[in-house]
Amino acid sequence: MASRALWKGQLRLSLVSIPVEIHSARRSDRKITFRQIHKPSGKRVRYEKTVSGIGPVKSEDIMKGYEVSKDEYVLLDPDEIEAIKLETKKTLELVQFVDGASIAPIWFDRPYYVIPTDDLAEDAYRVVRDALRNSGKMGLGQLTMRGRESLCAIRPCGDGLLMETLHYVEDIREAEPMFSGIEDDPADAELLQVATELIDRKTAPFDAGAFEDHYAAALRDLVDRKVKSRKSPRTKAEGTDDRVDVTNVVDLMDALRESLKGTKAGGKATAAKPSTRKSSAAASSKDTSGKTPQKAAAKTDTKTPEKAASKPASNGRRKKAS
């Protein structure tokens, strides 16, 4: 099944803008999902929004409620929430760069492939890819889509670029409360040596293909057998296409040279604050050279495609990453 772009726009490095599109790196076509079926009639079970003592209600009469105490809610109108959603921007600007191994795996969320939209865009795309690869860096930026803003990291992946969304600080639970009950005494030296030797013997290059999801395989086999029997009811869902247009690439060499003239050493970068639908078109720039999302992290290879699912990182909500 052909992949559909989830977002189209520009990947920007200072004055260099590269038309790109983003595709999910995760497969969903092999995941088995089910619908609830009414056995006597063979029809799908659908859900109605109802209120106790009233029955079914209209969608326009429903508001969102934030629970402030038991059975007490602050009501928010859908229009109020819609008004603060961020405008979907068509630009993902790389505002800062960090060492490729400086972000711990716990921060990573979802992986996406970033690909150029045409041959002209490919020239600038390869320059950015190779520059990141040679420097061992990842580029950080924020992508706004469907009213929400995601912190993203861009790094080389084989012949292309991999974008991974990162969690914000508020999304990650503190580890210390979880581990506080574990004794801090060192492990027995002899047992540690045996465990280390066992790890050494079982160490090998990572190959995701060597592992199988046995439950998924059994479920697939069950479904395949049921489908062949022609006795199961079937349903079909409709999809939508929200693709958008992109603009052309600027002259690469001139843009890079102009970018260098206006960039100071030391990793300082500024990014405009995303505007909401009711805010002014001009947003103030802020310094994005804050503290790094994570002090320690496992070293990752950014020069070759990764077969396994990567895990994405983050900074705080609107807090700057470094």
Side-chain angles (χ1 to χ4, degrees):
M1 184 175 69
S3 174
R4 182 173 67 89
L6 302 177
W7 182 88
K8 279 190 175 184
Q10 298 184 38
L11 176 64
R12 180 178 296 170
L13 173 58
S14 193
L15 298 181
V16 180
S17 295
I18 309 168
V20 297
E21 54 186 36
I22 294 174
H23 295 252
S24 175
R26 295 167 49 171
R27 290 187 59 179
S28 59
D29 57 315
R30 296 295 296 173
K31 184 177 180 180
I32 296 177
T33 58
F34 296 103
R35 305 293 187 186
Q36 291 188 322
I37 305 298
H38 182 232
K39 186 175 181 180
S41 66
K43 295 181 179 180
R44 281 187 57 183
V45 175
R46 301 186 181 275
Y47 295 93
E48 286 186 313
K49 295 181 179 180
T50 63
V51 175
S52 178
I54 298 178
V57 295
K58 298 178 180 179
S59 296
E60 56 265 30
D61 294 332
I62 299 176
M63 300 179 68
K64 292 186 181 293
Y66 177 80
E67 188 171 11
V68 292
S69 62
K70 184 174 178 58
D71 296 329
E72 182 180 357
Y73 303 88
V74 171
L75 300 180
L76 293 89
D77 190 273
D79 290 339
E80 293 179 302
I81 297 176
E82 189 70 22
I84 64 171
K85 285 186 176 181
L86 302 176
E87 294 180 355
T88 298
K89 293 187 175 181
K90 302 302 181 288
T91 300
L92 170 57
E93 182 174 5
L94 301 181
V95 297
Q96 188 177 354
F97 297 88
V98 299
D99 290 334
S102 66
I103 304 178
I106 193 174
W107 293 101
F108 291 92
D109 183 20
R110 291 175 177 267
Y112 299 86
Y113 295 129
V114 181
I115 61 175
T117 58
D118 52 45
D119 292 340
L120 183 61
E122 188 176 317
D123 292 335
Y125 178 93
R126 289 198 305 268
V127 171
V128 173
R129 178 202 63 192
D130 292 347
L132 290 173
R133 177 179 294 158
N134 294 340
S135 63
K137 306 289 185 182
M138 286 193 294
L140 298 180
Q142 289 178 288
L143 175 69
T144 304
M145 182 171 59
R146 297 173 183 170
R148 298 184 177 227
E149 188 174 49
S150 297
L151 177 63
C152 305
I154 299 283
R155 61 175 171 175
C157 177
D159 292 332
L161 291 172
L162 180 72
M163 182 189 85
E164 296 177 273
T165 55
L166 313 177
H167 295 292
Y168 285 104
V169 166
E170 293 84 351
D171 299 331
I172 300 297
R173 181 176 294 172
E174 291 290 338
E176 185 54 34
M178 299 292 179
F179 301 147
S180 60
I182 302 175
E183 295 183 2
D184 197 26
D185 296 335
D188 179 84
E190 185 175 353
L191 293 176
L192 179 61
Q193 181 180 357
V194 174
T196 302
E197 290 179 359
L198 180 60
I199 291 174
D200 290 340
R201 291 180 184 181
K202 290 181 173 291
T203 297
F206 175 69
D207 178 13
F211 300 88
E212 180 183 3
D213 186 339
H214 296 93
Y215 172 75
L219 188 59
R220 171 62 64 184
D221 180 65
L222 173 62
V223 171
D224 287 343
R225 285 188 280 110
K226 298 290 286 186
V227 169
K228 290 178 181 178
S229 70
R230 299 178 182 274
K231 292 182 180 180
S232 300
R234 305 179 184 183
T235 59
K236 193 173 185 179
E238 297 181 357
T240 58
D241 191 340
D242 54 356
R243 301 180 182 183
V244 297
D245 294 329
V246 294
T247 55
N248 293 327
V249 136
V250 300
D251 183 78
L252 179 59
M253 185 56 69
D254 289 344
L256 287 174
R257 287 173 175 167
E258 288 298 320
S259 298
L260 286 175
K261 293 179 182 179
T263 303
K264 295 182 179 180
K268 296 286 185 181
T270 58
K273 181 180 179 181
S275 60
T276 62
R277 294 182 179 176
K278 290 189 176 182
S279 65
S280 170
S284 59
S285 296
K286 292 186 177 181
D287 185 2
T288 61
S289 59
K291 55 186 179 181
T292 56
Q294 185 69 11
K295 294 181 179 178
K299 186 174 182 180
T300 56
D301 183 3
T302 60
K303 296 185 178 181
T304 58
E306 301 170 36
K307 296 182 179 179
S310 301
K311 300 182 180 180
S314 129
N315 264 7
R317 183 190 314 152
R318 303 284 152 53
K319 292 182 181 179
K320 305 301 183 263
S322 65

